[in-house]
Amino acid sequence: MKKKILSFMLAATMLTGLLAGCGSSESDNGAASNSGQNAGGAATEAGATNTDGGSVQVGIVLPTKDEPRWLQDQAQFESILGDAGFTNQVLFSQGSSATEKTNVETLVSQGVSVLIICAQDGAAAAAAVEEAKAAGVTVIAYDRLITGTDAVDYYVTFDSVAVGEAQGQYLIDNAPEGTGIPLYLYAGAATDNNAFLFFEGAWKVLQPKIADGTFVIANSPEAVALQDKAELTRDEQGKIIGQITTDWDFNVAKSKAEAHLTAAGADSKGDVLVLAPNDGTARSIADVFAADKDITSYRITGQDSEKASVQYVIDGKQSMTVFKDTRTLAADSVEMAVSVLNGNTPATDTTYNNEKKDVPAKQTDIVVVTKDNVKQALIDSGYYEASEFTGLE
């Protein structure tokens, strides 16, 4: 971990040096640099404009400001780009593809050269980025792949399949002894390509244990019908995800978990395993399972290392979270944007097919965080302060 932290610090130093030599005259004159937080709130209502009236070099569109994860990403973008002297603006789509499209149009009208966008709906966002591309803007898909269009130039992401694999492997490594262990499956939004990748990774790892009877799927007839298939088609995944989706919504996750436990018989309770797609849904689902007197114990997954879930991990309410360092992801995106602004080709290390093209991509590593390594992974790395949590050892 010390080596990883040192590598991150070195990369950040190199990126800062690169950016320092590329500052814009607009930001020197007090243009819209680091204006995203105020503008973001306005954008969720009616689409924001640059608060200082100048042009914007890098525009960022994020899905919602109602989840801590995206506020963390906003802070990273504004810090890195603002400190480097690049005019930038962060807008939030608040779960609406229509607002997302308006946000993109707003940024294009402000003269952005680079658009960094995390799509609310990967397919619906195609129309918005095609408008940006037609205006000569370089499009970088951030964290979620935009599908069905050749207007995406680059993609910056965590290895989403690896996230699912890590979640599935955790459940295997920490499962109770014996066979017939109830397994509850939950997934993200069916409109999010990442939800499919997370589930693909988890299924790849869990399926052998399901097929041999070690785990028994407790809440998805569609998954039961396909439990002997090691590899699922996109349509087959869609059938399962359509049944277990949380829509990345805390309340949907809570309601679905309550319905599943109400319908579950005694053989689907006791010591159970829960595949939860991210931290917000994990907390909601965990609270439901903890309140059921017939659940003896549960192991539940998560991802994003949100503060509330880190506290849940410390308190034993959530079993693990996959740490996806937004500092690195944002830095990778900014490094790509700077390369474009300097007329260079950004560095990539893989490709993702979005149904229209193989999009050049840069992947960022993930870290599994449990109660045993939470201090090392999240505090010692400087991501959070120890004072933000209680009971930390």
Side-chain angles (χ1 to χ4, degrees):
M1 177 57 71
K2 289 182 179 178
K3 183 176 180 181
K4 181 181 287 290
I5 296 168
L6 181 60
S7 298
F8 171 78
M9 293 174 65
L10 178 60
T13 301
M14 292 174 64
L15 179 57
T16 301
L18 173 64
L19 293 172
C22 307
S24 74
S25 59
E26 289 179 357
S27 68
D28 293 339
N29 294 327
S33 176
N34 205 22
S35 64
Q37 189 163 0
N38 292 333
T44 63
E45 300 296 329
T49 58
N50 180 6
T51 54
D52 293 322
S55 64
V56 177
Q57 292 168 293
V58 182
I60 301 103
V61 178
L62 299 176
T64 177
K65 61 179 180 179
D66 293 335
E67 293 182 31
R69 155 70 200 282
W70 303 115
L71 295 178
Q72 291 172 345
D73 288 59
Q74 176 194 13
Q76 298 303 331
F77 279 119
E78 291 179 341
S79 175
I80 297 171
L81 285 165
D83 289 349
F86 283 95
T87 56
N88 66 93
Q89 190 166 31
V90 180
L91 304 181
F92 292 93
S93 302
Q94 290 304 96
S96 167
S97 292
T99 302
E100 180 177 77
K101 190 170 184 291
T102 299
N103 285 342
V104 171
E105 291 168 346
T106 296
L107 293 169
V108 169
S109 72
Q110 293 176 351
V112 295
S113 296
V114 179
L115 172 68
I116 299 172
I117 176 171
C118 181
Q120 167 63 30
D121 180 323
V129 299
E130 283 167 1
E131 284 192 32
K133 187 67 177 175
V137 177
T138 297
V139 176
I140 300 173
Y142 180 75
D143 199 33
R144 296 175 180 173
L145 187 61
I146 298 170
T147 58
T149 179
D150 58 5
V152 181
D153 295 290
Y154 301 101
Y155 180 35
V156 177
T157 184
F158 296 102
D159 188 340
S160 297
V161 173
V163 170
E165 289 174 341
Q167 292 174 330
Q169 192 60 52
Y170 178 87
L171 294 178
I172 291 172
D173 293 343
N174 293 275
E177 293 184 2
T179 59
I181 301 162
L183 171 64
Y184 289 81
L185 302 173
Y186 295 94
T191 56
D192 181 359
N193 187 65
N194 277 1
F196 285 80
L197 298 176
F198 297 144
F199 188 78
E200 176 187 337
W203 184 265
K204 182 191 302 185
V205 173
L206 292 170
Q207 188 273 336
K209 293 292 185 180
I210 297 169
D212 71 9
T214 302
F215 301 158
V216 176
I217 298 169
N219 66 327
S220 172
E222 292 287 356
V224 171
L226 294 164
Q227 66 183 14
D228 292 326
K229 289 198 67 174
E231 294 185 16
L232 302 176
T233 66
R234 178 83 174 195
D235 286 344
E236 289 169 340
Q237 289 181 45
K239 289 179 180 179
I240 298 173
I241 291 173
Q243 196 166 60
I244 61 173
T245 180
T246 62
D247 288 326
W248 298 128
D249 185 291
F250 307 164
N251 293 322
V252 172
K254 179 176 182 290
S255 296
K256 195 154 284 190
E258 288 173 340
H260 290 159
L261 288 184
T262 297
D267 58 343
S268 293
K269 295 192 176 182
D271 298 316
V272 304
L273 304 174
V274 184
L275 178 73
N278 74 340
D279 282 350
T281 58
R283 295 193 301 276
S284 293
I285 295 168
D287 289 345
V288 173
F289 275 73
D292 191 308
K293 61 182 178 59
D294 295 320
I295 299 294
T296 308
S297 70
Y298 64 87
R299 280 81 164 175
I300 187 168
T301 62
Q303 70 169 303
D304 294 332
S305 296
E306 294 178 359
K307 286 182 185 178
S309 276
V310 174
Q311 188 63 62
Y312 262 48
V313 169
I314 295 169
D315 295 341
K317 296 179 180 179
Q318 182 174 324
S319 309
M320 63 87 84
T321 179
V322 178
F323 177 38
K324 306 188 309 187
D325 196 332
T326 57
R327 296 171 300 182
T328 305
L329 196 67
D332 285 346
S333 300
V334 172
E335 188 172 7
M336 271 192 176
V338 170
S339 293
V340 171
L341 291 169
N342 287 339
N344 300 320
T345 301
T348 58
D349 52 26
T350 188
T351 61
Y352 279 74
N353 188 276
N354 77 339
E355 300 168 10
K356 280 289 186 178
K357 64 183 287 189
D358 290 326
V359 182
K362 178 75 180 292
Q363 289 189 157
T364 300
D365 291 338
I366 61 169
V367 178
V368 172
V369 176
T370 66
K371 189 173 184 178
D372 293 336
N373 72 334
V374 63
K375 183 176 182 299
Q376 181 186 38
L378 299 176
I379 308 302
D380 294 348
S381 70
Y383 196 75
Y384 289 131
E385 297 290 336
S387 60
E388 297 177 275
F389 307 99
T390 59
L392 188 64
E393 296 179 359

